[in-house]
Amino acid sequence: MSDKLHWDDALADLNLTQDGPINIGYLCTDRNVERGLGDKTALIHQGHGGALGKFSFIDLKELSGGWAAFLEDRGVGSLDRVCLFLDRVPELYIGFLGILKLGAVVQPLFSAFGDESLISRMEDSGAVAIITQRKHLGKVRKVRDRLPELTMVVVIDQTDAHKPLRDGEVAFDMETGRNADFIPAATGAESPSVLHYTSGTTGKPKGALHVHESVLAQYLTTRDVLDLKPEDVYWCTADPGWVTGTSYGIIGPWTLGATQFVLDAGFSSAAWYQAMSDHKVSVWYTAPTAIRMLMKDGAELVKEYDLSALRHMCSVGEPLNAEGVLWGREAFGLDFHDTFWQTETGAMMITNMPGMTVKPGSMGKPFPAVEAAVVDADTGIRIDEPNTVGMIAVKPPWPSMMRTYWNNSATYYGKFLNGWYICGDRASIDNDGYFWFSGRDDDVINTGGHLVGPFEIESALLEHEAVAESAAIGKPDPVNMEVVKAFVALKPGFEPDDDMELSIMNFIRKKLSPLAMPQEIEFMEKLPKTRSGKIVRRMLKAKERGEEIGDTSTLDDD
Ligand code: 6R9
């Protein structure tokens, strides 16, 4: 551990004590009002069609207090799980803080999720309430009778003009529900806060459970890696359905009292640059896939906009290739600073700090309060030899480390080896201590920075009436790093034609999400399997990459 920085350094800055209460909802809202930032703009929100909304820290305090009081009045208690199932509307950000102020556990869900994705995550968490909007209410209604613990559906945009709500559904208008007097729950360091589901190779998605103390790590890394200053306008392009959108799209920046910009609109390079210019975005946190999409439109386009406010850029989610960094220099005259971390780690672990020499293609070095290494996969022994690939490992504990996987502590404990937390990614460390990513150590598909579990896709494929066998792998893709490719064997009597391909694609898009939808389906007579019946994704992957299929002798007795 470095002697330069300790996680506890955040305590004094945030006016906290070692054993005293600590509540993320309070730290992001009321505390900023108490320290004189009440009138400062906390959120600049740009919705579809360019509609703008501005919220001060006083607004954040009163509106999140309103959410907390509303939920409390309706019987939501501390530790209850409350889901957010919303587009990037202001209620998503402010509701998140209200749930934490109440002392309940917030479970964010992507609004693009289909019924199967919702069920697997809500059945597991036993969520009692879900906050949604009319646009997505149909999807919630579809899954309700399979979720006995879900007793309340809150709708944020219900008006008299709409059809009446059904039993168990209730309308809440955030603006009229303001409450300046709500007293935030006196949660402690170890009180559960955020539950984010993440995909693994096998089984259903797992819920990484975080605690209020995580804020110490989110605060310090936001301050020192994102380098936020009081006068900055900061834009995190991530959706809060993903951990980046909560740790660094809500918690970190607002504990610093920063002004955040949020864009709730589809992607276009021109619209992004226009928004950055209009709102004078000065610090920007985005992902390699977005950078590659911007690259496609060229550096010339960037020059058409006044981006003179922009002074710092960071990236996360997938390997940031050297080309992306070099293009960033050409287009913006700045370096993209890569950061490596996971849902499970809750905050950045390996970073390119401002002022550090960026080596294009490297993830950087451990954040100064983090001890990280590469270790041998079998023994967990540190590999000291430079430029040798091993498993990325981090020495526990740290404040934002998940405390368990919900309902699945066995898998949680399985993540530790020889005193290290094993991330599940491979990397090497060069002579200067820089980490170089080499790949994931499992079959999880990383598409545009989002992890998708092959097992979830395979299970959903089998629910299609024509599918007999299925396998899903990540196929290399120049923009999204990987896209989902499915291999399918059909039941007798079904034809492997274009219509069938479209039908299967749409089926997955609706059941899971657009991200999980296979971009390509290859029909096969039968899929390669072990004697015990397990499909061998390794062979399909090798075939896809045009590699030698390798040793197949173990195939039958795997
Ligand atoms: C924050 C987040 C975690 C996985 C991680 C790794 C990949 C993330 C990366 C990176 C290379 C980087 N990943 N950052 N790979 N370079 N800078 O992404 O969380 O969705 O849980 O994904 O993403 O494979 O293990 P999460």
Side-chain angles (χ1 to χ4, degrees):
M1 175 115 36
S2 156
D3 42 41
K4 288 196 301 267
L5 190 71
H6 294 282
W7 298 119
D8 282 356
D9 294 353
L11 287 170
D13 278 18
L14 294 170
N15 202 18
L16 298 167
T17 54
Q18 196 82 49
D19 303 312
I22 173 166
N23 184 298
I24 293 172
Y26 160 79
L27 291 169
C28 290
T29 61
D30 302 34
R31 177 171 180 269
N32 287 319
V33 177
E34 288 161 15
R35 64 193 181 114
L37 298 179
D39 291 324
K40 183 175 176 183
T41 302
L43 172 64
I44 306 168
H45 181 271
Q46 185 174 327
H48 285 275
L52 281 183
K54 277 202 178 167
F55 299 82
S56 67
F57 280 105
I58 291 182
D59 291 326
L60 241 55
K61 171 186 170 177
E62 297 182 359
L63 296 169
S64 62
W67 271 114
F70 169 82
L71 293 169
E72 187 173 51
D73 287 351
R74 275 153 193 82
V76 176
S78 58
L79 306 187
D80 278 343
R81 276 77 62 213
V82 179
C83 290
L84 292 164
F85 186 48
L86 295 163
D87 292 348
R88 288 180 222 184
V89 291
E91 284 87 344
L92 171 58
Y93 297 82
I94 299 172
F96 180 95
L97 298 172
I99 296 165
L100 293 177
K101 271 185 162 178
L102 176 60
V105 178
V106 56
Q107 183 187 349
L109 299 166
F110 282 110
S111 65
F113 276 158
D115 46 331
E116 211 48 58
S117 293
L118 285 180
I119 287 172
S120 55
R121 289 162 178 81
M122 292 173 74
E123 211 169 39
D124 187 64
S125 72
V128 300
I130 184 166
I131 299 170
T132 192
Q133 60 201 100
R134 292 203 58 86
K135 196 176 159 190
H136 303 303
L137 186 57
K139 289 197 275 188
V140 176
R141 285 181 174 165
K142 202 168 161 196
V143 299
R144 267 201 77 180
D145 46 349
R146 286 180 59 190
L147 298 168
E149 284 162 280
L150 180 69
T151 51
M152 180 165 62
V153 179
V154 184
V155 184
I156 59 162
D157 51 358
Q158 171 78 10
T159 67
D160 293 343
H162 294 121
K163 280 193 200 145
L165 293 174
R166 300 181 185 169
D167 262 5
E169 297 172 350
V170 47
F172 181 64
D173 173 53
M174 179 169 82
E175 191 51 49
T176 51
R178 276 180 190 261
N179 185 324
D181 305 320
F182 186 86
I183 298 171
T187 41
E190 291 299 316
S191 302
S193 56
V194 185
L195 182 61
H196 266 296
Y197 277 73
T198 179
S199 299
T201 308
T202 53
K204 292 185 173 175
K206 302 178 293 291
L209 182 68
H210 291 283
V211 296
H212 280 269
E213 188 196 50
S214 71
V215 69
L216 303 182
Q218 290 144 351
Y219 168 84
L220 282 184
T221 47
T222 304
R223 187 190 71 182
D224 294 355
V225 183
L226 297 176
D227 195 35
L228 286 191
K229 307 274 188 257
E231 58 281 7
D232 278 316
V233 176
Y234 164 71
W235 183 26
C236 170
T237 61
D239 188 295
W242 180 33
V243 68
T244 304
T246 58
S247 290
Y248 298 103
I250 301 181
I251 304 173
W254 278 337
T255 49
L256 274 132
T259 300
Q260 292 210 70
F261 171 63
V262 164
L263 180 63
D264 182 20
F267 175 84
S268 103
S269 303
W272 273 32
Y273 299 142
Q274 187 65 54
M276 290 168 83
S277 161
D278 288 350
H279 304 291
K280 302 193 169 46
V281 169
S282 54
V283 178
W284 186 29
Y285 196 20
T286 191
T289 291
I291 297 168
R292 289 190 291 267
M293 294 200 306
L294 297 170
M295 275 171 80
K296 283 212 291 191
D297 288 325
E300 282 315 301
L301 183 66
V302 182
K303 315 279 185 225
E304 291 175 24
Y305 297 84
D306 175 9
L307 301 184
S308 51
L310 188 64
R311 65 169 189 82
H312 191 46
M313 320 193 293
C314 296
S315 168
V316 63
E318 326 142 51
L320 175 62
N321 25 354
E323 292 80 355
V325 176
L326 299 176
W327 180 79
R329 285 179 185 167
E330 182 197 343
F332 304 99
L334 298 168
D335 279 339
F336 277 110
H337 292 71
D338 194 13
T339 61
F340 168 90
W341 57 291
Q342 304 178 306
T343 304
E344 288 85 345
T345 69
M348 300 168 186
M349 295 285 111
I350 299 171
T351 63
N352 283 280
M353 304 274 282
M356 207 171 117
T357 302
V358 171
K359 295 194 186 189
S362 160
M363 311 194 299
K365 298 183 185 186
F367 181 71
V370 168
E371 183 180 351
V374 297
V375 303
D376 179 89
D378 298 320
T379 61
I381 293 172
R382 188 183 198 122
I383 299 174
D384 288 319
E385 187 68 25
N387 307 312
T388 309
V389 173
M391 302 289 283
I392 303 178
V394 186
K395 182 67 45 108
W398 63 95
S400 62
M401 174 56 173
M402 65 167 166
R403 294 306 194 263
T404 190
Y405 286 122
W406 193 264
N407 283 336
N408 197 347
S409 55
T411 306
Y412 169 79
Y413 288 115
K415 289 269 184 165
F416 298 88
L417 181 64
N418 190 32
W420 293 97
Y421 164 71
I422 309 294
C423 294
D425 292 291
R426 286 177 278 111
S428 59
I429 306 177
D430 71 13
N431 289 309
D432 301 323
Y434 282 69
F435 282 59
W436 296 79
F437 185 79
S438 93
R440 285 187 64 91
D441 202 49
D442 61 18
D443 285 337
V444 172
I445 302 162
N446 187 333
T447 177
H450 293 280
L451 305 186
V452 196
F455 178 81
E456 280 172 276
I457 302 170
E458 289 160 3
S459 310
L461 282 166
L462 291 179
E463 290 183 37
H464 188 282
E465 54 167 9
V467 175
E469 290 178 352
S470 66
I473 62 158
K475 177 182 161 130
D477 180 82
V479 172
N480 289 297
M481 181 164 139
E482 292 183 323
V483 292
V484 177
K485 171 161 184 182
F487 295 85
V488 162
L490 294 177
K491 290 179 185 163
F494 289 97
E495 284 306 312
D497 53 18
D498 287 355
D499 286 348
M500 178 60 74
E501 190 177 23
L502 267 183
S503 153
I504 295 175
M505 285 175 173
N506 273 322
F507 184 78
I508 299 300
R509 184 173 56 79
K510 283 212 191 114
K511 261 202 155 353
L512 296 176
S513 75
L515 278 174
M517 183 182 87
Q519 301 292 314
E520 196 180 316
I521 294 179
E522 185 170 326
F523 295 105
M524 296 176 90
E525 286 290 311
K526 64 186 189 61
L527 301 188
K529 270 190 279 196
T530 61
R531 193 178 287 155
S532 58
K534 284 194 207 117
I535 288 165
V536 189
R537 293 194 198 105
R538 176 170 56 87
M539 282 185 65
L540 296 167
K541 269 190 181 171
K543 175 169 151 340
E544 203 53 46
R545 288 170 163 81
E547 293 162 2
E548 280 294 307
I549 290 187
D551 181 14
T552 54
S553 58
T554 57
L555 206 59
D556 279 344
D557 38 46
D558 231 7

